[in-house]
Amino acid sequence: MPNFQPSLQSPLVNFNLAAETVLADNSQLARANELPLLGYIAIRGELADAAIAAAVSSVTGAAVPAAERFSSGEGGVLVWVSPDELLLVTRRAELGARLAAFDAAFAGLFAHAVDNSGGLTCVSLSGAEHVTVLRHMGVYDFESLAVGQAVSTVLGKAGGTVLRLEDDGVFLLIRRSFADYLWLLLRKVAAPYNFAVAQLPPPSKNALLGLLDPKLVSAAGKRVPA
């Protein structure tokens, strides 16, 4: 197939969020937007093994986080999933180099890293009533979610991971297969709070935003070259 042209599409591409995006302001008590087309690497191995932990840190520049926590380094944001699994959220352009580095670092160890970028996306949720919105979506005690925590829970009828990097908002890591459902659920429960699809803060705001590629953000509603 000489004319085949692989391309990337955001899991929320059908909603054309770029066309709805407005400037963020304090009247929006709940606002959200997608962080499109980040890189996601699933890491499996016994995290209590010092050699595996050291290998992970050598590739990511981050310490292996404790249970229900995350850490960050030059390689991205490292999220605890279970005693034998981590998720690295990284820059899309760095996927190949990170995977190759994991292969080298894990040589001789019972551990591996695989690209899961096609199966996940990330949504920013902020505003004065963002915790209220979360309460509508799930049963976890979101009031107690502290900065630095990453909690896997049920949102509606789907699973997701909620990360708090700052006091005024959270990030939701969700599977591609549930992305449409969770976005529609979020919009429905946030509607009473003057919901808006709001422009994301500057990349310097926190570690996750710093992973965004501006070109991919602007093209999130389109097919872009892989």
Side-chain angles (χ1 to χ4, degrees):
M1 298 180 64
N3 295 322
F4 175 67
Q5 295 290 330
S7 60
L8 297 172
Q9 276 191 312
S10 155
L12 296 177
V13 64
N14 292 327
F15 295 101
N16 194 13
L17 300 184
E20 284 191 75
T21 299
V22 298
L23 292 175
D25 65 56
N26 291 334
S27 72
Q28 304 153 354
L29 302 183
R31 51 183 176 267
N33 210 332
E34 185 186 21
L35 281 67
L37 303 176
L38 295 175
Y40 299 89
I41 297 175
I43 302 160
R44 297 297 301 269
E46 179 53 61
L47 302 181
D49 185 320
I52 291 176
V56 170
S57 294
S58 71
V59 175
T60 63
V64 171
E68 297 190 343
R69 306 288 294 184
F70 64 87
S71 58
S72 59
E74 62 182 18
V77 176
L78 194 59
V79 183
W80 186 92
V81 178
S82 76
D84 65 355
E85 185 174 358
L86 298 167
L87 178 70
L88 177 66
V89 187
T90 190
R91 297 172 183 85
R92 192 84 184 206
E94 296 179 1
L95 268 174
R98 295 290 171 200
L99 288 166
F102 274 121
D103 285 345
F106 286 157
L109 299 176
F110 192 63
H112 70 281
V114 295
D115 180 9
N116 198 19
S117 303
L120 295 166
T121 194
C122 181
V123 170
S124 168
L125 172 62
S126 60
E129 296 292 345
H130 76 276
V131 173
T132 307
V133 172
L134 288 171
R135 284 201 214 102
H136 287 304
M137 297 179 70
V139 298
Y140 184 82
D141 180 14
F142 294 107
E143 291 275 10
S144 68
L145 192 66
V147 173
Q149 275 192 281
V151 177
S152 294
T153 186
V154 175
L155 301 169
K157 297 181 180 180
T161 301
V162 184
L163 287 75
R164 184 176 290 287
L165 278 75
E166 56 208 5
D167 290 322
D168 60 353
V170 297
F171 293 88
L172 313 179
L173 298 180
I174 56 180
R175 295 187 182 279
R176 187 182 196 101
S177 52
F178 298 122
D180 284 9
Y181 162 74
L182 285 171
W183 179 255
L184 289 172
L185 176 64
L186 188 156
R187 294 191 69 138
K188 179 180 179 179
V189 301
Y193 308 108
N194 194 28
F195 173 76
V197 179
Q199 192 175 82
L200 293 167
S204 59
K205 179 73 173 175
N206 62 50
L208 272 176
L209 293 168
L211 301 175
L212 286 169
D213 182 334
K215 293 180 180 178
L216 294 182
V217 172
S218 62
K222 310 170 185 176
R223 289 183 179 271
V224 295

